[in-house]
Amino acid sequence: MASIFVNAAERGSVSRSSEGTQLQLRGSRDGALFVADWYDAHAMEGRVFSANMGGVTTPLTFLITLANRPDAWIRVPDGTMILPLSAHVVLEDYAGTDTEIDMRIAQNDIGNGTSSAATVGPVSMRTDAPVTSNCVARQLATGDATAETNPMTIWRAEVSTANAAGNDAAGFHHITRAEMGYPVLVGPSTWELFVAATTTQATGYVIMTWVEFPERS
């Protein structure tokens, strides 16, 4: 039977080496192995990206739901694969009724339609940005994008009341990868969000975060 040993290292400075250097494993004094979280490891590579739709004190005014007109989306090109990690949807003002939030994936790149670039991003969550995203982040399709291929809702919420003092929590949604059902988007594909009310449209902000790789067969 093979044995694996680690170097006990619980205090003091831990040496850092250049890329490609072979290192010994490091563990606690009882032999427990120290490992980086899988997502942290890719964030350190620069492969975690985020985009902001709406920024600072300028929210988006979300659109009435129409086919092929999402409010926020990430275009994944051929040759690229992403794992959506999380999304924040913050409704600043929702004076209408039955504000619906519908997050989908599609098996094609729906393009830009008539829309704007995301307020910010895609930006690497590693600040020196050693990797550049291949994805495109867009917002507010006022003209049709390409029709979705096999669209599927992966998360949904509904806010049935207008905002008022004391119910601000109803307008905040943090959507985790687990809640989205662990989607894997292989390009060409799209990760998209629709927000719409039956009367007055809400205003707010969206943050979409993902880890990105070259496509793997």
Side-chain angles (χ1 to χ4, degrees):
M1 178 182 294
S3 297
I4 298 175
F5 298 90
V6 300
N7 292 332
E10 291 184 338
R11 64 183 181 182
S13 298
V14 177
S15 61
R16 304 292 178 189
S17 299
S18 59
E19 292 293 305
T21 301
Q22 187 173 18
L23 300 174
Q24 293 179 308
L25 299 176
R26 181 169 66 94
S28 64
R29 295 185 184 187
D30 64 359
L33 183 64
F34 294 159
V35 295
D37 175 83
W38 191 87
Y39 294 110
D40 282 340
H42 287 94
M44 287 187 285
E45 288 182 30
R47 294 195 172 277
V48 175
F49 297 90
S50 191
N52 294 175
M53 292 76 170
V56 192
T57 57
T58 306
L60 302 183
T61 298
F62 297 113
L63 305 170
I64 296 172
T65 293
L66 293 172
N68 309 321
R69 297 191 182 186
D71 291 286
W73 67 105
I74 305 299
R75 298 177 51 199
V76 184
D78 191 18
T80 296
M81 179 177 75
I82 74 167
L83 306 182
L85 297 184
S86 66
H88 277 70
V89 181
V90 179
L91 304 181
E92 182 172 90
D93 291 306
Y94 42 108
T97 57
D98 293 331
T99 299
E100 297 182 350
I101 305 170
D102 182 14
M103 179 168 287
R104 304 180 194 171
I105 57 175
Q107 295 176 355
N108 65 320
D109 178 355
I110 67 169
N112 291 342
T114 302
S115 64
S116 302
T119 305
V120 178
V123 172
S124 174
M125 298 301 282
R126 176 170 161 162
T127 57
D128 61 347
V131 179
T132 300
S133 175
N134 293 323
C135 294
V136 176
R138 304 294 295 183
Q139 64 191 34
L140 299 181
T142 56
D144 287 353
T146 301
E148 304 154 287
T149 299
N150 295 326
M152 183 173 65
T153 293
I154 58 172
W155 186 90
R156 190 167 190 131
E158 188 264 341
V159 180
S160 60
T161 61
N163 62 318
N167 76 334
D168 289 344
F172 174 76
H173 300 273
H174 172 68
I175 308 158
T176 67
R177 178 161 175 74
E179 290 171 325
M180 289 185 277
Y182 301 99
V184 177
L185 278 71
V186 178
S189 56
T190 307
W191 179 26
E192 56 188 333
L193 181 74
F194 295 77
V195 180
T198 54
T199 52
T200 304
Q201 301 310 305
T203 65
Y205 305 88
V206 180
I207 303 170
M208 302 173 81
T209 303
W210 66 96
V211 58
E212 180 175 328
F213 309 96
E215 184 178 322
R216 297 171 181 175
S217 58

